Amino acid sequence: MPVDRERVAALTRELLVAIGEDPDRPGLRQTPERVADAYAEFFAGVGGDPAEPLSHTISVAQGPAPDTLPSGAVMLRDVRFRSICEHHLLPFAGHAHIAYLPGEQVVGLGALPKVVEILAARPQVQERLGEQIADTIASSLDARGVLVVLEASHQCVTMRGARQSDSSTVTIAARGELAEPAARAEIIALLGRS
């Protein structure tokens, strides 16, 4: 369901009045529409299918080396993401690091950031976001294992409350063979190398 921009703009105008501002003053006249446009972008993933980008797989067995199946992990580091915390409607942003152990099917690397984007573009908590990314990859590909590491800075921690401006939160979601401690540790060590 797309964001109801008209309703968001009306509610933003009401919010400005509620905090004691004049929504008709020059600096705020366009704010309700700007907020509506921003929210349409921030929440574009609501109702979206995060598995859709993974629907176009590539058969390794039908490729140039049909006798060779991948034995190691495919890793994509430093996928930038941003989301909105569902508790305070404040942004959090950071990097996703994704690894999967492919089976016979692989996916174009550009599909993985799209999964992150769809799932991040909805009210979220980081812990669930990582789990949803891992579940989507695990259920859409014939992956033997999936590992998702998210590191993000949350404005609900950096800008209000505790006001810890340098803090970040790290979460890990693992599936299949990469849920085993030794395999997970190896991938996490590789993700940390530049």
Side-chain angles (χ1 to χ4, degrees):
M1 169 178 93
V3 169
D4 183 340
R5 290 177 187 215
E6 200 171 295
R7 190 168 179 197
V8 170
L11 291 168
T12 302
R13 182 177 174 78
E14 184 62 29
L15 176 64
L16 290 170
V17 171
I19 65 169
E21 265 293 356
D22 174 8
D24 294 319
R25 76 173 169 83
L28 291 177
R29 275 190 207 126
Q30 297 303 314
T31 298
E33 289 77 21
R34 289 182 185 125
V35 170
D37 290 344
Y39 273 36
E41 182 180 330
F42 291 161
F43 301 120
V46 173
D49 179 7
E52 193 283 323
L54 302 176
S55 64
H56 308 289
T57 60
I58 303 159
S59 170
V60 177
Q62 305 299 318
D67 296 333
T68 307
L69 286 176
S71 62
V74 174
M75 292 183 278
L76 188 60
R77 295 188 297 199
D78 297 321
V79 174
R80 293 185 70 71
F81 75 91
R82 55 108 180 105
S83 191
I84 301 292
C85 171
E86 67 184 34
H87 297 150
H88 300 98
L89 294 182
L90 290 172
F92 66 96
H95 291 89
H97 312 288
I98 302 167
Y100 75 99
L101 294 171
E104 196 272 327
Q105 298 288 321
V106 293
V107 68
L109 293 177
L112 298 173
K114 290 177 184 174
V115 171
V116 175
E117 288 171 11
I118 291 168
L119 289 167
R122 51 184 70 174
Q124 272 290 9
V125 293
Q126 181 175 331
E127 299 87 341
R128 184 174 59 236
L129 176 59
E131 299 293 332
Q132 289 175 337
I133 295 166
D135 287 341
T136 300
I137 295 168
S139 66
S140 299
L141 301 177
D142 63 338
R144 300 182 324 254
V146 177
L147 183 72
V148 177
V149 178
L150 301 180
E151 181 173 3
S153 176
H154 294 250
Q155 284 193 2
C156 57
V157 175
T158 63
M159 303 281 294
R160 63 161 304 276
R163 295 186 186 153
Q164 295 298 309
S165 60
D166 295 329
S167 71
S168 65
T169 301
V170 177
T171 56
I172 299 170
R175 303 290 183 270
E177 292 177 26
L178 293 181
E180 297 172 17
R184 183 172 57 206
E186 178 184 18
I187 297 298
I188 289 173
L190 289 170
L191 288 173
R193 294 186 184 159
S194 52

